[in-house]
Amino acid sequence: AMPFKSDIEIARGAVKLPIVEIGGKVGIGSDDLLPYGHDKAKVSQGFIDSVQGNASGKLILVTAINPTPAGEGKTTTTVGLGDGLNRIGKKAMICIREASLGPNFGMKGGAAGGGQAQVVPMEDMNLHFTGDFHAITSAHSLLSAMIDNHIYWGNELGIDTRRVVWRRVVDMNDRALRQITASLGGVSNGFPREAGFDITVASEVMAILCLANDLGDLEKRLGDIIVAYRRDKTPVYARDIKADGAMTVLLKDAMQPNLVQTLENNPAFVHGGPFANIAHGCNSVIATKTALKISDYVVTEAGFGADLGAEKFMNIKCRKAGIAPSAVVVVATVRAMKMNGGVAKADLGAENVAAVRAGCANLGRHIENVKSFGVPVVVAINHFVTDTDAEVAAVKDYVTSHGSQAVLSRHWELGGEGAEDLARKVVEIVDAGQANFSPIYPDEMGLFDKIETIAKRIYRADEVLADAKIRTQLRDWEAAGYGHLPVCMAKTQYSFTTDPNRRGAPTGHSVPVREVRLSAGAGFVVVVCGEIMTMPGLPRTPSAENIRLNSDGQIEGLF
């Protein structure tokens, strides 16, 4: 048998069309594209405004089981399904997130699909791309600088320097920066205070960019950011510091969606990239809504398992943007089922139907959870060469017993052709119009009750553990008029619990809340659970050790 090519070899061999031709497929003229080279471009706000009167296409969400080291292939399936839909004659677009530099040099690697189902140019997308993340880091840093500058020049707003809640960001995994002391070195450097860094993708500026509808909305939300409190506990906003206008200027290009293409030359928007375990995990509202106006089917993804990405997609993104999915595809692999069933990574190649059946409980719970939002579910079995017929049949039987259908998809190996069966099944379900979407909690429910609703209904926890300080903080925010906001759970992606090692579908656990943060500009309350970090660290052997330029000037080791 021919050895399979690596993702990067396949991406380098891609025959790309000029980006103007890709735009032409969905009616974006060359005047409305701002090219970054030949194979990527931003779409102008003028074009976006011009299509608002169009009818909206149908939205399809791709999510997955809890991630395992065996790999699930959510982005690969998103791309494969998009190509599959185009192959069966549908006008379809893909919307995915941009990759963060931190994980690229850490352990996760790139995020542009895999095998024959990829978005290109892959190296660009995983490195600086069109500079959106740098713009977000810069806008965030400008606000940080202006807060400390305001305090230095007399602190007219009366900021309590012990209560500055705006942390700094950098787009790198750097644990040394989690907790720092700033402004040391004497009078000329300001007033010493404790501070800290998050990774850029956890920045509220990232969340705002991904939820804002246009530049006016962006500027308003940036102004709404709470940066600090006074001694009487009243909030100080970014607009009080007068930073919102300049921040908007820094983000004006970053607000525009990036158009690229799949290996099969189908259009894709890659825009925005909040983490799914510590932020809301979906690409930008502006990209998704624009895609819905220029194509009949839009395939998008939400990060990690459905307990995080899909939950936030439904409860935060859809609620805020006034959109609703017509179907949800839950990605699973036979290998991941075996891992959930207790098989070690080294033994995944051997047939083990019993372990597949045992591991299906995790998949079953995700199916139930997604259906609780009123949306029909299709399971995509992302095919691996080692899967046996008996193992695939075991997954299909299990899914059927849960009132859904599982379709084997071979997009990794065959591209769009391998996803045709999945595409047909998705179209059948979408066109049947069975979806009756609604979020699982109303706006008017109390903040702690919202946290409990997610913990009990999605994670199947018995209780939420939160000390008096956290409960008081939530009540104070409700009294200040923030009780209507949705909650964004920051939790490990590896388990329904807050313990990353508990696989399967555990019950009888509790969810400890460590801290809560108000993202008043983005419009949600971040609830930090268990040991989750908003600034990841690098592993013992980071990917960066193997990344270099070869003698031909090509990048090696990124994937």
Side-chain angles (χ1 to χ4, degrees):
M2 287 273 293
F4 284 103
K5 287 182 177 174
S6 70
D7 290 352
I8 192 78
E9 286 172 325
I10 293 168
R12 283 202 187 120
V15 180
K16 289 182 286 193
L17 294 179
I19 200 64
V20 174
E21 282 188 45
I22 302 297
K25 290 188 174 194
V26 280
I28 309 172
S30 58
D31 291 353
D32 285 312
L33 288 174
L34 300 101
Y36 282 66
H38 301 290
D39 52 11
K40 50 193 180 293
K42 283 192 166 288
V43 177
S44 76
Q45 186 63 48
F47 174 79
I48 293 167
D49 294 342
S50 75
V51 297
Q52 292 312 305
N54 295 5
S56 289
K58 295 282 197 279
L59 186 59
I60 299 147
L61 174 70
V62 176
T63 182
I65 57 170
N66 291 96
T68 65
E72 287 66 51
K74 193 166 62 280
T75 309
T76 311
T77 304
T78 302
V79 178
L81 175 56
D83 281 340
L85 286 164
N86 279 295
R87 266 188 78 93
I88 63 169
K90 304 297 179 186
K91 188 176 180 183
M93 266 196 88
I94 294 158
C95 288
I96 60 174
R97 291 177 298 165
E98 299 179 52
S100 166
L101 288 179
N104 271 321
F105 297 114
M107 58 193 291
K108 187 167 175 280
Q116 298 297 331
Q118 296 186 51
V119 176
V120 285
M122 190 185 195
E123 294 114 306
D124 293 10
M125 283 173 51
N126 283 295
L127 292 169
H128 307 282
F129 201 28
T130 58
D132 293 347
F133 284 20
H134 298 306
I136 287 163
T137 306
S138 298
H140 187 114
S141 300
L142 173 67
L143 179 53
S144 300
M146 287 179 74
I147 294 164
D148 284 310
N149 185 60
H150 178 88
I151 294 166
Y152 177 81
W153 289 108
N155 195 3
E156 197 181 309
L157 292 166
I159 292 170
D160 182 347
T161 53
R162 302 163 304 175
R163 292 194 173 96
V164 176
V165 292
W166 189 248
R167 291 162 61 84
R168 288 170 151 81
V169 296
V170 63
D171 194 19
M172 203 48 68
N173 294 5
D174 191 351
R175 67 172 63 78
L177 293 175
R178 280 175 191 155
Q179 213 58 35
I180 63 163
T181 311
S183 304
L184 296 179
V187 174
S188 61
N189 295 348
F191 296 82
R193 65 177 183 86
E194 220 181 325
F197 278 79
D198 293 332
I199 189 163
T200 294
V201 287
S203 164
E204 186 176 350
V205 178
M206 171 68 83
I208 286 171
L209 182 101
C210 290
L211 290 168
N213 288 306
D214 51 44
L215 286 169
D217 188 25
L218 176 77
E219 184 165 0
K220 182 199 172 296
R221 288 170 180 267
L222 292 170
D224 286 341
I225 293 170
I226 293 176
V227 298
Y229 292 88
R230 299 176 181 87
R231 288 191 167 228
D232 64 2
K233 307 236 182 109
T234 54
V236 178
Y237 297 93
R239 72 168 56 85
D240 298 332
I241 302 283
K242 301 189 174 67
D244 46 337
M247 290 169 77
T248 306
V249 168
L250 281 173
L251 294 169
K252 73 175 175 59
D253 292 343
M255 259 299 274
Q256 300 173 322
N258 305 297
L259 179 70
V260 286
Q261 61 192 296
T262 68
L263 294 175
E264 300 184 11
N265 311 120
N266 291 313
F269 279 149
V270 179
H271 192 221
F275 265 16
N277 52 353
I278 51 186
H280 74 283
C282 318
N283 73 297
S284 75
V285 163
I286 199 166
T288 305
K289 287 175 92 164
T290 302
L292 285 167
K293 293 296 185 188
I294 58 177
S295 55
D296 299 328
Y297 297 88
V298 174
V299 186
T300 189
E301 68 169 346
F304 294 132
D307 56 318
L308 285 169
E311 181 269 308
K312 294 170 185 181
F313 179 86
M314 313 272 203
N315 279 325
I316 299 175
K317 180 172 176 174
C318 291
R319 182 195 305 262
K320 296 279 175 193
I323 54 178
S326 297
V328 174
V329 177
V330 177
V331 180
T333 61
V334 166
R335 291 160 57 87
M337 293 298 102
K338 284 197 265 200
M339 235 176 167
N340 268 298
V343 175
K345 191 175 179 185
D347 305 327
L348 289 175
E351 180 175 89
N352 190 335
V353 177
V356 170
R357 287 201 186 104
C360 275
N362 184 271
L363 171 60
R365 179 169 295 175
H366 286 298
I367 293 171
E368 287 168 26
N369 283 348
V370 172
K371 283 184 171 174
S372 72
F373 288 93
V375 187
V377 174
V378 189
V379 172
I381 305 173
N382 182 15
H383 181 259
F384 278 71
V385 208
T386 50
D387 299 349
T388 68
D389 292 347
E391 290 172 329
V392 170
V395 179
K396 285 187 171 177
D397 291 346
Y398 179 86
V399 173
T400 304
S401 75
H402 270 65
S404 287
Q405 268 180 290
V407 181
L408 187 67
S409 192
R410 298 174 63 187
H411 47 270
W412 183 85
E413 181 188 355
L414 302 170
E417 183 189 348
E420 283 188 21
D421 289 348
L422 178 62
R424 286 194 187 94
K425 174 51 69 182
V426 167
V427 167
E428 178 191 318
I429 286 179
V430 166
D431 291 357
Q434 302 162 335
N436 186 18
F437 167 74
S438 76
I440 61 165
Y441 56 77
D443 288 345
E444 53 275 10
M445 182 184 272
L447 291 172
F448 191 75
D449 292 339
K450 288 171 182 169
I451 297 167
E452 276 196 327
T453 299
I454 293 171
K456 290 178 175 176
R457 287 187 52 180
I458 303 292
Y459 311 155
R460 305 294 206 277
D462 285 350
E463 59 178 349
V464 174
L465 304 174
D467 61 27
K469 188 174 148 210
I470 285 170
R471 291 172 189 251
T472 303
Q473 178 68 85
L474 293 170
R475 281 196 293 271
D476 288 349
W477 287 336
E478 286 170 356
Y482 294 108
H484 66 285
L485 297 182
V487 293
C488 181
M489 306 293 281
K491 177 188 80 75
T492 177
Q493 62 268 39
Y494 297 112
S495 171
F496 278 107
T497 72
T498 54
D499 173 0
N501 300 311
R502 286 189 72 179
R503 297 202 188 286
T507 54
H509 58 98
S510 48
V511 175
V513 175
R514 199 175 80 235
E515 66 167 309
V516 284
R517 300 180 183 177
L518 173 58
S519 293
F524 52 69
V525 172
V526 180
V527 182
V528 185
C529 304
E531 297 295 301
I532 197 76
M533 294 287 180
T534 48
M535 167 55 89
L538 291 171
R540 183 181 289 273
T541 311
S543 306
E545 291 183 11
N546 302 310
I547 295 173
R548 57 182 42 82
L549 290 174
N550 65 20
S551 55
D552 296 327
Q554 292 174 321
I555 300 165
E556 286 191 352
L558 198 50
F559 311 100

